[in-house]
Amino acid sequence: MSDLAASRPSRPRTHEPSSATPGVGEPDLEVYRRELTAHCYRMLGSPFEAEDAVQETMVRAWRAMDRFEGRASVRTWLYTIATNVCIDMTRGRDRRARPMDLAPSSTVAEAQLVTRPENTWLEPVPDGHVVTDGEDPAEVVASRDSVRLAFVAALQHLPPRQRAVLILREVLRWKAAEVAELLDTSVPSVNSALQRARATLAAIEPAPADPLRPDDPEQQALLTRFVDAFERYDMNALTALLAEDAVQTMPPFDLWLQGAGEIRDWMLGPGAECRGSRLVPTAANGLPAYGQYRPSGPGGRHEPWALQVVEISGGRIVGLNAFLDTDRLFPLFGLPARLG
């Protein structure tokens, strides 16, 4: 939690056109869209639900603009609306999860591809929707760290109000009194909720993963070797880049594998149809990611197969996460519908 406690995303620049033009003296709410999307994504675990929550927040804010008295900042007011929208959206539904949250790891020999519904899964989010684009490199890294897959998945284990307290106190660095006012509760209640939330996360121990660092030559060299090995389908070279206990997941299948050997056997067995794939770089959850295209179309044309999100720690790849819902994810990430 130490890295997360040090992070506080700054106010982002406007990156989408405003749905309504502010009048004279009215605030431009759109300048808060990116940080609100990050907040709602941490709360909900889905970029699509986060977009819906932010849109609802903006609608409610514009409708109530004439009643905004300025006793709190516009930012605080918007976070109050967004947090309550997210808490409402979580009522009566199961938490989103990763495959390792639901069942033990499998082996290639006993693997079964069982599909679970879309709303079961924690979904990846494009960096451009949630990561601070400020000039301070440390702030950008902290922003990436606060949306990494393992951390957001761990947040989903918390009851919604505890989740909100932990995000507001540990990620956004709000004071206890500010959080108490937002949630219409007391400071002792906020402190108690934070203590319980910390204890839950400490028991879960979210797996470490280094944020994407485009200026880090060692990390970039590792990723270059990964892309080269994957596109040549050299599984010996790829396995050499994996940590011994590396994990592979493939939502919407609940199957997950652990161990460099199991991953290699999968790639050379059931996963061999990925041979000849091409990878297009992007970024998801503050981590390196790639649109994977398999040569499965007419004449060997490369068509979407997965969004691969790569987790790195200690100079090794510790997680390969293939999200297979390309019909929804590739447009979200701005990835092409096919490769020539």
Side-chain angles (χ1 to χ4, degrees):
M1 291 299 296
S2 58
D3 290 342
L4 294 164
S7 66
R8 185 173 189 170
S10 63
R11 179 181 300 178
R13 305 186 187 100
T14 302
H15 70 288
E16 294 185 18
S18 177
S19 57
T21 302
V24 176
E26 290 182 345
D28 182 3
L29 304 185
E30 286 294 322
V31 300
Y32 301 96
R33 183 174 288 273
R34 185 177 299 185
E35 62 177 292
L36 287 173
T37 302
H39 177 60
C40 293
Y41 176 71
R42 297 182 195 105
M43 285 289 296
L44 300 170
S46 163
F48 305 102
E49 290 187 353
E51 285 184 359
D52 290 345
V54 172
Q55 193 59 34
E56 177 64 18
T57 298
M58 295 298 186
V59 169
R60 292 188 189 184
W62 279 115
R63 286 175 176 169
M65 186 65 69
D66 60 341
R67 300 192 299 276
F68 176 59
E69 299 176 353
R71 288 181 295 187
S73 70
V74 172
R75 182 173 183 267
T76 299
W77 180 52
L78 289 173
Y79 269 94
T80 301
I81 299 172
T83 300
N84 286 311
V85 167
C86 289
I87 290 173
D88 288 345
M89 289 176 67
T90 61
R91 290 197 174 105
R93 69 163 216 194
D94 294 331
R95 65 180 175 87
R96 289 183 178 266
R98 301 178 77 186
M100 59 279 284
D101 296 325
L102 302 178
S105 63
S106 181
T107 65
V108 174
E110 63 189 15
Q112 295 184 3
L113 294 178
V114 178
T115 301
R116 297 208 188 193
E118 167 271 317
N119 60 6
T120 304
W121 304 114
L122 179 76
E123 297 176 316
V125 65
D127 271 23
H129 290 202
V130 294
V131 172
T132 297
D133 61 352
E135 297 179 358
D136 183 352
E139 191 173 70
V140 174
V141 169
S143 180
R144 288 179 177 137
D145 193 46
S146 72
V147 292
R148 62 191 174 91
L149 288 172
F151 177 62
V152 177
L155 288 174
Q156 307 312 301
H157 287 264
L158 303 175
R161 287 177 69 86
Q162 280 188 33
R163 197 180 310 167
V165 167
L166 188 133
I167 293 167
L168 292 165
R169 291 283 284 121
E170 297 284 3
V171 177
L172 299 176
R173 306 299 290 157
W174 285 33
K175 296 178 181 178
E178 295 173 320
V179 178
E181 183 175 0
L182 184 153
L183 294 174
D184 193 23
T185 188
S186 66
V187 169
S189 293
V190 167
N191 291 335
S192 176
L194 179 60
Q195 185 176 10
R196 294 195 301 274
R198 284 172 171 168
T200 299
L201 260 63
I204 296 170
E205 294 187 60
D210 300 334
L212 175 65
R213 293 185 172 91
D215 297 328
D216 182 337
E218 292 185 3
Q219 186 184 87
Q220 292 306 302
L222 175 63
L223 293 171
T224 297
R225 293 196 298 273
F226 166 73
V227 171
D228 175 68
F230 198 100
E231 292 190 335
R232 289 189 297 107
Y233 221 68
D234 183 342
M235 288 302 109
N236 290 330
L238 190 144
T239 304
L241 305 177
L242 302 178
E244 190 58 35
D245 58 351
V247 166
Q248 178 175 334
T249 69
M250 292 165 282
F253 300 125
D254 60 9
L255 170 75
W256 66 284
L257 305 169
Q258 184 166 36
E262 290 291 336
I263 295 173
R264 180 181 184 277
D265 291 347
W266 176 269
M267 294 289 196
L268 293 174
E273 292 183 1
C274 289
R275 189 183 301 274
S277 291
R278 292 169 60 186
L279 300 181
V280 175
T282 183
N285 293 80
L287 304 168
Y290 301 89
Q292 180 189 343
Y293 296 78
R294 296 200 313 186
S296 54
R301 184 178 66 193
H302 284 76
E303 297 185 323
W305 174 249
L307 180 76
Q308 293 274 3
V309 183
V310 180
E311 295 173 286
I312 298 171
S313 181
R316 295 280 182 174
I317 294 172
V318 297
L320 293 174
N321 303 279
F323 293 91
L324 305 183
D325 189 2
T326 57
D327 286 346
R328 296 167 72 236
L329 292 175
F330 274 40
L332 180 70
F333 279 79
L335 290 164
R338 64 187 60 85
L339 300 181

